[in-house]
Amino acid sequence: MTENLYINNTKEVYDAIVIGSGISGGWAAKEFCERGLKTLMIERGRVVEHRKDYIGENKAPWQQPLRTKVDNLLVKEQHQIQQQCYAFTDATKHFFGNDKDLPYTTEKGTNFTWIRANQLGGKSLLWHRQSYRLGEYDFNANKSDGFGNDWPIRSQDIEKWYSHVEKHAGISGSLDNLENLPDGEFLPPFEMNSPEKALQAKFAELYPQRPLIMGRTAHLTKPTKLHLSQGRVKCQARNECHAGCSFGGYFSTQSSTLPAAAATNNLHIAPNSVVHSLIYDEKTNRVKGVRVIDNDDLTEREYFAKVVFVCASTIGSTQILMNSTSKKFPNGIANSSGVLGHYLMDHNYNAGASGDIEGFEDEIDRGRRPTGLMMPNFYYKPDASRNFLRGYALAGSAYREGWQSLQHQDGLGADYKNKLKQAGKWRFGLYAQGEMLPRFENQMRFHPTLKDKWGMPQIEFDCQFSDNETNMMIDAAQQAEKMLKAVGLKNVSSQVMNGPPGLAIHELGTARMGRDPKNSILNAYNQSHDIPNLFVTDGASFCSSAVQNPSLTFMALTVRAVDYCVKEMNAKRI
Amino acid sequence: MKEHYNEEPYIEVSCIEESNMANESRRKFLRGLSFLVGGTVATALVSGNSLAVAMEHSLKPVIVGSDLLSDGKIFPLSQLKQLKDICAIVIPKTDTLGAAEVNTHGFIDNQLFHCYGKAKQTKIKQLLILINDVAKKNFSRSFTELSQDQQFKLLTELDQGKANFDKKQRADFKALKQLICFGYYTSEVGASQELRYLAVPGGYKGSIPYKGSDANWGSQGLYY
Ligand SMILES: Cc1cc2nc3c(=O)[nH]c(=O)nc-3n(C[C@H](O)[C@H](O)[C@H](O)COP(=O)(O)OP(=O)(O)OC[C@H]3O[C@@H](n4cnc5c(N)ncnc54)[C@H](O)[C@@H]3O)c2cc1C
């Protein structure tokens, strides 16, 4: 391992700078380091060490002062926004951003929930680990209905890079041979419980075009030699992942990419370093390095490298580009097209249905499976007869009710206690995860006057779901309800909700790829059209959202971009 | 697809289920882990934060506040005593301790103070006053002075919104029951003795036999 992994001030000119240490940045650093390049990973937040700093891990509820809940006062002062995330609990709160330090605004009449994890590892510590490849219809979607620009890549361009990241990260799932959800290099899938198996069979019979599959997830169901050699062992099915996992049971920067990068001796990390802007040299038309404000004492420093990979998460990356202005790029670096900040997307989780499953009273499951089932998007083929474009996936799992549901019944005393002791009926639901169209008017921009404590202009979101997304959710609720009734569930009810974008935590777009430099920021290799040694490889580069959880694609795009970049450097074109 | 579960050594870490097994299963766990990752890594893993904590779980029930001596953060002493009696009626001692024995009343006082707003605090306080008023009206005694049978009958009426109580009061009592249940089933006794607690299940099995008299799982990961 590098003698001093963490650095503060240095005059060294690195081969590569990677901004951000989350899912994208971790992969970029690993791939550069393994190719022999001296790499500096810059992270705005504090260091979080694997195992040692998982301070909320494996604490039973009675060992937590407020039994998993977070003190009102703390929420009010620091986490008004972050607390909206389902994973915000006493065991995880320290991995969420401090809203007091990280203010943003929204255009009147709009709303956007921006969840942040500013520390070493970024949101890789907090994510839900659902991992799916994009399919050919997804890459074709914009082209076929004219919303957004055409993706400059297709499945065949990225396939081998998906395989590359899947083998290292460890993705569990079943081989399902579906037309638009490519299989990957899977570890064994998690088991289904009996009602789920029965439902799966029933769906296969009634809806052969709508298979129900086990969720594909970045968990080690059966670690390979490679995983074991990294000190990662089998997932223990605690389902406490967001608190951090000392077993390395799930993929995170800390468990997977960081140790691999550090083992090469080519890695340095500059923590507590808020990248303010990129340093641009107009004469050579190259980025030379980055300007950093110290997270704690607000002093300034600079770091230099031959290439810069911006992996600061979708909105974080675009914020840095927008804040890097020069004579040539008055509206943000690499923004000759003027689309920087536009085409912001998220997913839409605003519909679902659920009901009771009869039978199976003489069994229960054991352990806490960290994933549910998935019914992949069955609307991937365009069809003008629907009143919306694109589609949605549905996710859910079967479980037996516990005291949380049973407590509402009438009753007191030993009888009541006894009823709550036992497992209740089985339930199952299907919850939508819908595509959001790329629209120019959905955007992030800088507030004209407000800044944060590091002197960065504050972001103003102007982003809303459109009628297309609303119509889609109405359909999702209806379809889910209809199917659940058809497969025999009882007391089925459905709902359509009205949550704002952001809360799916799948921010995408704002520095999109494209073939045409006049309407896109990045080329097919996530390289800036304008500046050859500048790359953005996270969600900012997406042209459309598809319905799949996007992070596996961030990984694949990132490693593909590094491979291309190093080849270009070797060929002296960068 | 074929199930691969049983092909590898199943790590038995389910120690935490039975207290006297803690040491035995720690050894078993280390053995299983060493088999997978080698002895050095295994030892390093276990000295890491999570497992150290996992292995130190003791199952001795924590019983606090059996003698109520002073005011709480929300409730004066008299109301804490009343709340304790209500806890004992809602979730009594059976072959495991009940809500009062594990200080659920103290928990509610603390939780309301830290995690809830004024409106909810006031609602519960007023409910306690109501209960006491009805006790005085019907029995000319305060709630804590009633026999357990009388307390049970009064609270049953409230729980069903009958006799002296209306729908809104019934709903408020359901809210209080919810706090009692949360406090009890997240306590060590509630989660690991009344119910079954698996800190480290070791893997997921979709189906195991279940009889109606079996306890449900008290361990729910991060989500309570
Ligand atoms: C609760 C939750 C559940 C999720 N579930 C899933 C899921 O199931 N599947 C899925 O695919 N995705 C999921 N996601 C989303 C997933 O976490 C993100 O897509 C992914 O982490 C993005 O990776 P990234 O590297 O681009 O950004 P991040 O992981 O956010 O990392 C960005 C890093 O850059 C740093 N940074 C930002 N700005 C600067 C700056 N100016 N200077 C220096 N450093 C900076 C940040 O501090 C951070 O460490 C989930 C997210 C959350 C919070």
Side-chain angles (χ1 to χ4, degrees):
Chain A
M1 193 153 326
T2 321
E3 208 167 287
N4 288 310
L5 185 59
Y6 302 109
I7 59 127
N8 187 359
N9 284 307
T10 174
K11 290 263 161 298
E12 185 168 345
V13 177
Y14 289 88
D15 294 322
I17 277 178
V18 173
I19 306 174
S21 62
I23 292 184
S24 312
W27 272 104
K30 168 186 172 301
E31 298 290 307
F32 273 124
C33 288
E34 288 180 346
R35 283 171 176 73
L37 279 75
K38 293 283 176 208
T39 305
L40 177 65
M41 173 189 261
I42 305 177
E43 168 52 51
R44 67 180 295 159
R46 71 186 192 284
V47 171
V48 170
E49 299 258 16
H50 191 39
R51 298 182 183 124
K52 178 169 149 270
D53 293 327
Y54 300 156
I55 54 175
E57 189 184 8
N58 221 86
K59 289 209 169 110
W62 63 85
Q63 295 172 316
Q64 303 175 43
L66 298 170
R67 308 275 177 92
T68 72
K69 308 287 182 223
V70 184
D71 196 303
N72 269 344
L73 209 59
L74 185 72
V75 169
K76 208 167 128 218
E77 283 181 356
Q78 299 187 8
H79 300 295
Q80 287 280 47
I81 306 285
Q82 308 304 307
Q83 58 125 355
Q84 295 173 40
C85 177
Y86 70 93
F88 182 84
T89 75
D90 190 55
T92 62
K93 59 184 189 307
H94 38 276
F95 292 152
F96 283 89
N98 179 340
D99 293 312
K100 203 170 95 198
D101 284 345
L102 299 162
Y104 66 89
T105 60
T106 50
E107 171 70 30
K108 221 169 148 211
T110 74
N111 202 348
F112 191 92
T113 308
W114 187 13
I115 300 298
R116 275 168 289 178
N118 292 339
Q119 66 257 327
L120 193 67
K123 292 200 285 282
S124 79
L125 290 167
L126 282 179
W127 72 316
H128 215 92
R129 300 125 358 240
Q130 290 291 304
S131 301
Y132 302 89
R133 294 184 177 200
L134 298 192
E136 197 62 0
Y137 283 91
D138 300 317
F139 287 116
N140 257 317
N142 286 2
K143 189 177 179 188
S144 89
D145 61 31
F147 258 90
N149 67 334
D150 189 21
W151 278 88
I153 57 170
R154 290 294 182 269
S155 289
Q156 63 174 39
D157 298 307
I158 194 172
E159 259 163 21
K160 81 170 196 202
W161 302 107
Y162 274 129
S163 293
H164 177 83
V165 298
E166 283 160 354
K167 278 186 228 158
H168 187 90
I171 311 291
S172 69
S174 51
L175 298 171
D176 300 302
N177 195 25
L178 303 172
E179 187 177 33
N180 194 46
L181 195 72
D183 289 332
E185 312 283 338
F186 294 146
L187 304 174
F190 279 99
E191 247 176 68
M192 287 192 190
N193 55 45
S194 298
E196 289 170 342
K197 284 181 191 159
L199 284 172
Q200 187 187 39
K202 199 82 192 159
F203 272 106
E205 180 193 323
L206 297 179
Y207 301 97
Q209 304 307 319
R210 300 181 178 189
L212 192 60
I213 66 171
M214 179 44 68
R216 298 174 180 177
T217 179
H219 281 256
L220 302 183
T221 46
K222 188 181 183 192
T224 62
K225 282 218 176 67
L226 173 73
H227 300 132
L228 295 172
S229 74
Q230 294 174 331
R232 299 183 62 189
V233 299
K234 185 178 133 176
C235 167
Q236 303 292 309
R238 292 183 295 170
N239 198 22
E240 294 166 20
C241 322
H242 304 281
C245 181
S246 290
F247 296 96
Y250 76 92
F251 169 91
S252 65
T253 296
Q254 273 79 354
S255 71
S256 180
T257 46
L258 198 60
T264 63
N265 282 321
N266 289 324
L267 181 70
H268 277 162
I269 301 174
N272 295 310
S273 302
V274 181
V275 174
H276 171 273
S277 50
L278 307 179
I279 304 167
Y280 173 63
D281 180 16
E282 198 162 326
K283 274 206 297 295
T284 55
N285 189 36
R286 293 290 188 275
V287 175
K288 282 178 18 190
V290 305
R291 242 169 254 113
V292 158
I293 314 288
D294 190 272
N295 188 19
D296 299 324
D297 66 18
L298 306 185
T299 54
E300 281 184 50
R301 55 183 174 266
E302 296 179 339
Y303 298 115
F304 300 96
K306 294 178 193 152
V307 294
V308 174
F309 265 54
V310 189
C311 303
S313 82
T314 295
I315 291 157
S317 290
T318 297
Q319 181 180 33
I320 293 169
L321 299 190
M322 287 172 107
N323 203 35
S324 307
T325 53
S326 57
K327 218 161 79 228
K328 181 152 179 220
F329 296 109
N331 300 314
I333 198 162
N335 188 21
S336 63
S337 65
V339 299
L340 188 68
H342 294 275
Y343 304 99
L344 174 61
M345 296 165 279
D346 187 28
H347 285 136
N348 190 340
Y349 280 43
N350 279 328
S354 58
D356 301 337
I357 302 172
E358 287 181 327
F360 304 97
E361 284 99 359
D362 56 356
E363 48 185 289
I364 195 165
D365 55 1
R366 184 188 186 282
R368 299 179 292 281
R369 192 179 60 199
T371 177
L373 314 185
M374 175 66 81
M375 178 179 285
N377 179 12
F378 42 78
Y379 286 155
Y380 56 88
K381 285 186 185 158
D383 179 350
S385 72
R386 291 193 289 270
N387 67 344
F388 56 91
L389 300 169
R390 318 286 170 102
Y392 51 83
L394 293 166
S397 46
Y399 62 94
R400 285 193 85 156
E401 283 183 333
W403 57 266
Q404 270 107 333
S405 315
L406 302 170
Q407 65 183 345
H408 303 294
Q409 65 191 294
D410 285 352
L412 306 171
D415 249 16
Y416 180 70
K417 186 179 177 187
N418 213 27
K419 282 186 189 144
L420 267 60
K421 176 178 182 169
Q422 292 161 19
K425 55 186 185 288
W426 285 93
R427 289 193 45 87
F428 182 75
L430 284 174
Y431 300 93
Q433 179 170 325
E435 177 156 3
M436 180 174 177
L437 288 175
R439 308 169 86 92
F440 181 81
E441 56 273 30
N442 282 336
Q443 61 184 293
M444 56 177 279
R445 56 184 173 242
F446 279 156
H447 189 279
T449 51
L450 295 175
K451 302 211 159 154
D452 67 19
K453 80 180 214 195
W454 300 276
M456 293 279 274
Q458 283 184 30
I459 287 165
E460 181 168 84
F461 290 100
D462 183 357
C463 183
Q464 300 180 72
F465 288 130
S466 69
D467 288 348
N468 194 69
E469 286 84 30
T470 308
N471 290 342
M472 185 192 290
M473 286 301 115
I474 292 169
D475 183 82
Q478 287 168 350
Q479 290 295 325
E481 181 174 331
K482 197 175 97 190
M483 289 190 287
L484 292 184
K485 284 180 173 160
V487 296
L489 266 64
K490 295 288 175 309
N491 303 320
V492 177
S493 65
S494 65
Q495 67 278 64
V496 177
M497 289 149 298
N498 197 18
L503 213 45
I505 326 179
H506 294 163
E507 317 88 70
L508 300 165
T510 68
R512 69 185 186 182
M513 298 163 89
R515 299 175 212 280
D516 186 352
K518 286 207 254 353
N519 66 20
S520 59
I521 306 291
L522 307 167
N523 68 15
Y525 290 97
N526 297 72
Q527 180 186 32
S528 157
H529 287 300
D530 293 335
I531 302 166
N533 70 337
L534 174 63
F535 291 72
V536 182
T537 71
D538 55 31
S541 67
F542 270 44
C543 298
S544 72
S545 77
V547 309
Q548 292 89 324
N549 311 59
S551 307
L552 184 75
T553 303
F554 303 173
M555 302 187 203
L557 287 174
T558 300
V559 299
R560 181 169 173 271
V562 171
D563 182 72
Y564 171 81
C565 173
V566 173
K567 284 179 180 148
E568 289 294 289
M569 287 169 90
N570 291 340
K572 303 273 185 287
R573 283 190 291 269
I574 293 184
Chain B
M1 221 199 139
K2 195 167 149 285
E3 297 296 350
H4 297 246
Y5 257 85
N6 300 325
E7 289 174 16
E8 63 180 291
Y10 198 76
I11 315 181
E12 286 292 342
V13 220
S14 32
C15 51
I16 327 294
E17 233 172 330
E18 285 144 287
S19 50
N20 52 357
M21 289 282 291
N23 276 333
E24 169 59 15
S25 45
R26 182 192 167 92
R27 271 195 301 279
K28 258 198 200 163
F29 171 78
L30 263 172
R31 231 183 299 134
L33 207 57
S34 307
F35 184 82
L36 285 175
V37 299
T40 329
V41 180
T43 314
L45 266 170
V46 174
S47 61
N49 173 58
S50 112
L51 296 171
V53 175
M55 296 305 154
E56 274 161 22
H57 271 291
S58 81
L59 284 193
K60 270 181 243 108
V62 186
I63 307 172
V64 209
S66 44
D67 295 319
L68 282 170
L69 295 174
S70 58
D71 292 347
K73 290 175 175 167
I74 299 273
F75 302 113
L77 181 59
S78 61
Q79 283 195 328
L80 271 182
K81 288 184 171 163
Q82 187 191 349
L83 191 55
K84 183 181 175 191
D85 281 6
I86 295 172
C87 287
I89 296 290
V90 174
I91 301 183
K93 185 169 176 213
T94 51
D95 47 357
T96 59
L97 299 179
E101 287 85 11
V102 302
N103 191 23
T104 306
H105 43 289
F107 159 81
I108 292 173
D109 180 63
N110 190 57
Q111 200 80 353
L112 276 173
F113 179 78
H114 288 283
C115 301
Y116 292 86
K118 266 264 154 352
K120 180 99 169 192
Q121 296 171 359
T122 310
K123 184 192 279 188
I124 303 294
K125 273 190 157 179
Q126 281 172 347
L127 181 70
L128 295 181
I129 293 169
L130 170 79
I131 292 170
N132 220 15
D133 285 352
V134 173
K136 282 182 189 152
K137 196 180 93 192
N138 288 2
F139 304 98
S140 312
R141 270 182 289 163
S142 66
F143 182 79
T144 48
E145 290 162 340
L146 302 185
S147 72
Q148 283 196 5
D149 279 355
Q150 289 168 326
Q151 289 180 336
F152 189 92
K153 195 160 157 280
L154 192 157
L155 292 181
T156 300
E157 284 172 8
L158 176 53
D159 191 41
Q160 298 174 354
K162 286 188 185 145
N164 295 287
F165 302 101
D166 62 26
K167 256 185 156 152
K168 190 198 151 284
Q169 292 159 346
R170 179 187 184 206
D172 289 349
F173 185 61
K174 297 279 188 232
L176 175 59
K177 270 171 79 180
Q178 217 165 322
L179 283 166
I180 294 171
C181 288
F182 188 88
Y184 181 68
Y185 293 106
T186 58
S187 76
E188 189 165 8
V189 169
S192 72
Q193 295 177 7
E194 173 68 3
L195 304 177
R196 290 184 282 173
Y197 197 87
L198 283 178
V200 188
Y204 179 76
K205 279 188 192 305
S207 173
I208 62 167
Y210 178 85
K211 295 191 300 303
S213 56
D214 290 340
N216 201 348
W217 300 116
S219 39
Q220 302 184 359
L222 297 175
Y223 308 104
Y224 286 86

